[in-house]
Amino acid sequence: MAMPQDLWLAVFFIIIPFAAAGHPADVSQLKEFARPGDTLDVLYMEAPLLFQKFGDLLETINAYHAGFGILNRNTGKNYTIEFGAPNGVLSAVFPVLVPNQNNPTSLIWNNAAVIIMTPGINTTYWHSHVTKVFTINYDQFVQFACWLPTYDTGSETYNLFSVYGTQNPPNVYLPSLTCVDFCWAGLNMLYNVGGIATGANVSRDFMNLEASSQPTIANYNDPTTQAEILQFYTQWQFPTMPANETVQQFFDQLIIRVERLFNGTFFYYYNATYYRMNLVQTSTPMTYYYAAAPYGQGPRNPAVPQQAHCPLFAPVPPPPSPFDNAINEIKGLSGGSIFLITLLCTIVVYFVAGTLLNTYKFKKTGLDRIPNRMFWVGFGRLIKDGTVWTFRKIFKRGEQNNYAYVQ
């Protein structure tokens, strides 16, 4: 049975679990990545979708996973920042049906979406397209890093499809939220905060559903609507291949299910809300294409959302200056050293200031310009007499008393 390429892509996107490798973002780990004065390059990177399972196979139909690479020119360090469904795209698009003995079947969704950051760039994986798109400074990097948590608040759901109307140009009823959508939001954010764009053209994928009318909210608490939603998702549950069935027969049945899924009424679970929509009655209500897309156009809007109390807003101390090093050396001196330095400085200031005062205010000349000259002359003689007396006492020399008595 032949199937259009768009439906084959739906099978690949949906039945093969895919999740970005790494750990959910904690921007505090970027605190030591850059310092004031650093210059950073931002790369838009693409890797073949499901590379770990199929290698470069899906690159032939332009199916990619996308992310950012951040390179610090000053340190040579780099980081990978990407957005994905940690439980896989399958869990993001379809729920797990849990039968209940006395109650209706429960739908369990595992469609969370998170930003994932990994030190370094795996060039073996990110090899399809790597394009430098922006150069930014440290302040712009901090704004970008503190914007990330506002995009990844923990309540996002991975939305594979964008839902469009039939108008020309079509209305976007429900925009998608995928790795590529995250990258385009990041590109526009970098443009708004003043990043220097390289002007390089980059492409992205689009996976769309075309609805004949605007989707409406489906009230899951209404028993009739709930039964419709359960029937819709029950028909899509993947069949297990019977022992007497060939692989070809199994895939034929799977294709029938895919064609049925994208035909007629479609229930889309979007940001924790069910939407009912009627897909257009054509052979391709779902379309997928890969094309160049603009970013960073028009007036800049620097008022981008930022995480409150972002850890990167705490100032990172710059490298120590020679003056700082001198202060640290002074702090390491002993108390005696500090006393002697202070005494020496005081003596120098005393003699310089006293000499200037005697010269210009009291008009003294010669040795009289020395402040308190007679005191210092007498002070010198007293030091001499004391030294001689001490020397004679220690070495028992000269018992004769050389002091003159006062008559």
Side-chain angles (χ1 to χ4, degrees), residues 18-37:
F18 165 72
H23 302 283
D26 174 10
V27 297
S28 63
Q29 65 184 288
L30 293 174
K31 196 168 183 178
E32 299 300 324
F33 178 65
R35 289 181 175 273

Side-chain angles (χ1 to χ4, degrees), residues 13 83 93 113 151 156-164 171-185 204-209 268-271 277 287-289:
F13 270 102
F83 183 84
V93 178
Y151 195 89
E156 284 76 20
T157 57
Y158 191 94
N159 301 314
L160 181 62
F161 304 107
S162 286
V163 180
Y164 284 84
N171 290 334
V172 182
Y173 294 132
L174 300 172
S176 59
L177 185 64
T178 66
C179 60
V180 178
D181 295 301
F182 160 72
C183 287
W184 248 252
R204 58 160 295 174
D205 56 35
F206 299 85
M207 183 166 283
N208 304 327
L209 292 176
Y268 191 16
Y269 189 66
Y270 185 93
N271 288 353
M277 53 190 173
T287 57
Y288 174 87
Y289 63 96

Side-chain angles (χ1 to χ4, degrees), residues 134 187-188 191-192 197 201 293-301:
F134 276 100
L187 291 173
N188 288 317
Y191 173 78
N192 283 327
N201 291 326
Y295 62 90
Q297 295 181 337
R300 297 179 191 260
N301 179 19

Side-chain angles (χ1 to χ4, degrees), residues 39-61:
T39 300
L40 305 99
D41 292 328
V42 181
L43 310 178
Y44 176 69
M45 308 185 300
E46 291 181 310
L49 191 68
L50 309 174
F51 175 76
Q52 293 87 344
K53 292 182 177 292
F54 301 109
D56 294 339
L57 175 63
L58 294 183
E59 186 173 23
T60 60
I61 53 174

Side-chain angles (χ1 to χ4, degrees), residues 289-350:
Y289 63 96
Y290 179 81
Y295 62 90
Q297 295 181 337
R300 297 179 191 260
N301 179 19
V304 296
Q306 301 281 297
Q307 179 192 27
H309 309 297
C310 178
L312 268 71
F313 280 140
V316 177
S321 66
F323 178 77
D324 295 327
N325 293 332
I327 293 296
N328 291 332
E329 291 177 3
I330 292 175
K331 290 180 178 179
L333 295 176
S334 65
S337 299
I338 294 175
F339 171 75
L340 291 176
I341 293 172
T342 304
L343 179 61
L344 178 61
C345 292
T346 302
I347 292 173
V348 170
V349 171
Y350 167 77

